[in-house]
Amino acid sequence: MNILKFESPQNAIEALAVHVIASAKDAIQQKGSFNLVLTGGSSPKVLYHLLSTTYKYAIDWTKVFFFIGDERYVPADHADYNGKMARETLLSPLNISEEQIFFVNTTLQQDQAAYDYYERIDAHFKGNITFDYTLLGMGADAHTASIFPGTDLCQEFRPTIAAVFVEKLDSWRISLSAALINKSQNISFLAFGKEKVEAFKSVQENPGSIEFPASLIEGNVSWYVDSAILGE
Ligand code: 6PG
């Protein structure tokens, strides 16, 4: 695991954008495509804006496929739907075509939406799901994607996608499991702020702990953090 510390969230985001673009260039050169899993939450908005403006001409965006690590079970035009934010900040400005976008169909019943999402991704990868790059955030309770402490998804060790009811939010989410995320070639967390100090510490100190779900993420993992999250 690689912890990359920056003075400010803005600096962390700029460095992450450089890494995403470099990884995309490599993947496109090697195999002609780049499979990028986006994250929801608020931290990535600036990243997406940067990618769609400063980096608009840096890579061939027609070779990039987009996925979402987790989705809120609300209609696609609802303000909470992660894909809506991704469309507004990244996909629409880049004129990405619908064939390149894999988002959750929340018109289906929860379990069916998870199954349908997995099936579409599996078909895209011809049965061998391997994302090139996964972006993740982390909450103050150490959840990542929608793998929240105390939910069944923490104990799901198969690489899959599931519907999960999050009691404290009183709502359903659809999320990749940690085992599926861990199949990604690159994984980068974007996490900022002093309210996440304890979670960050617990995750670093307890690898593989279901109490701190972000610690279930392993492989080629980098953390793009600001000094506040380190308690500095
Ligand atoms: C979501 C997420 C979630 C998020 C964290 C951090 O849909 O809410 O994907 O895992 O990344 O809650 O969110 P912030 O960046 O807004 O703190």
Side-chain angles (χ1 to χ4, degrees), residues 39-44 69-72 82 136-139 143-146 148 173 190 196:
T39 177
S42 55
S43 307
D70 72 313
E71 192 49 270
R72 290 92 180 265
N82 282 331
L136 291 173
M138 180 190 69
H143 79 262
T144 190
S146 282
F148 282 81
R173 301 275 187 107
L190 200 54
K196 295 182 183 176

Side-chain angles (χ1 to χ4, degrees), residues 2-183:
N2 197 7
I3 298 174
L4 301 159
K5 181 188 114 176
F6 298 87
E7 288 281 298
S8 66
Q10 182 65 29
N11 293 351
I13 285 168
E14 283 169 14
L16 180 54
V18 169
H19 190 239
V20 170
I21 294 296
S23 306
K25 273 188 185 152
D26 276 0
I28 293 169
Q29 200 177 16
Q30 280 170 30
K31 60 185 180 71
S33 67
F34 181 60
N35 294 286
L36 173 62
V37 183
L38 303 173
T39 177
S42 55
S43 307
K45 283 185 195 168
V46 181
L47 172 69
Y48 298 161
H49 179 68
L50 195 61
L51 290 174
S52 66
T53 53
T54 307
Y55 294 99
K56 183 164 184 165
Y57 301 106
I59 58 166
D60 181 355
W61 289 100
T62 67
K63 304 274 193 294
V64 183
F65 294 91
F66 297 88
F67 307 84
I68 197 96
D70 72 313
E71 192 49 270
R72 290 92 180 265
Y73 189 70
V74 291
D77 59 357
H78 191 286
D80 290 345
Y81 187 81
N82 282 331
K84 182 178 191 297
M85 180 273 285
R87 281 186 188 278
E88 288 169 357
T89 55
L90 181 68
L91 308 177
S92 299
L94 289 172
N95 292 316
I96 301 297
S97 85
E98 286 304 314
E99 295 83 69
Q100 293 164 251
I101 304 172
F102 291 77
F103 283 171
V104 181
N105 179 356
T106 49
T107 63
L108 301 171
Q109 177 270 336
Q110 294 91 331
D111 286 336
Q112 224 187 326
Y115 179 76
D116 163 77
Y117 189 42
Y118 184 89
E119 288 296 303
R120 281 187 284 126
I121 296 175
D122 195 51
H124 169 74
F125 285 99
K126 300 189 168 56
N128 180 25
I129 303 178
T130 338
F131 301 114
D132 294 301
Y133 207 112
T134 298
L135 294 165
L136 291 173
M138 180 190 69
D141 60 357
H143 79 262
T144 190
S146 282
I147 313 169
F148 282 81
T151 60
D152 289 350
L153 205 45
C154 293
Q155 315 239 35
E156 175 55 81
F157 299 108
R158 290 168 301 177
T160 191
I161 297 178
V164 57
F165 184 72
V166 184
E167 257 169 54
K168 71 173 171 189
L169 301 175
D170 192 25
S171 60
W172 284 91
R173 301 275 187 107
I174 311 294
S175 181
L176 274 61
S177 68
L180 185 57
I181 293 170
N182 293 346
K183 283 161 76 79

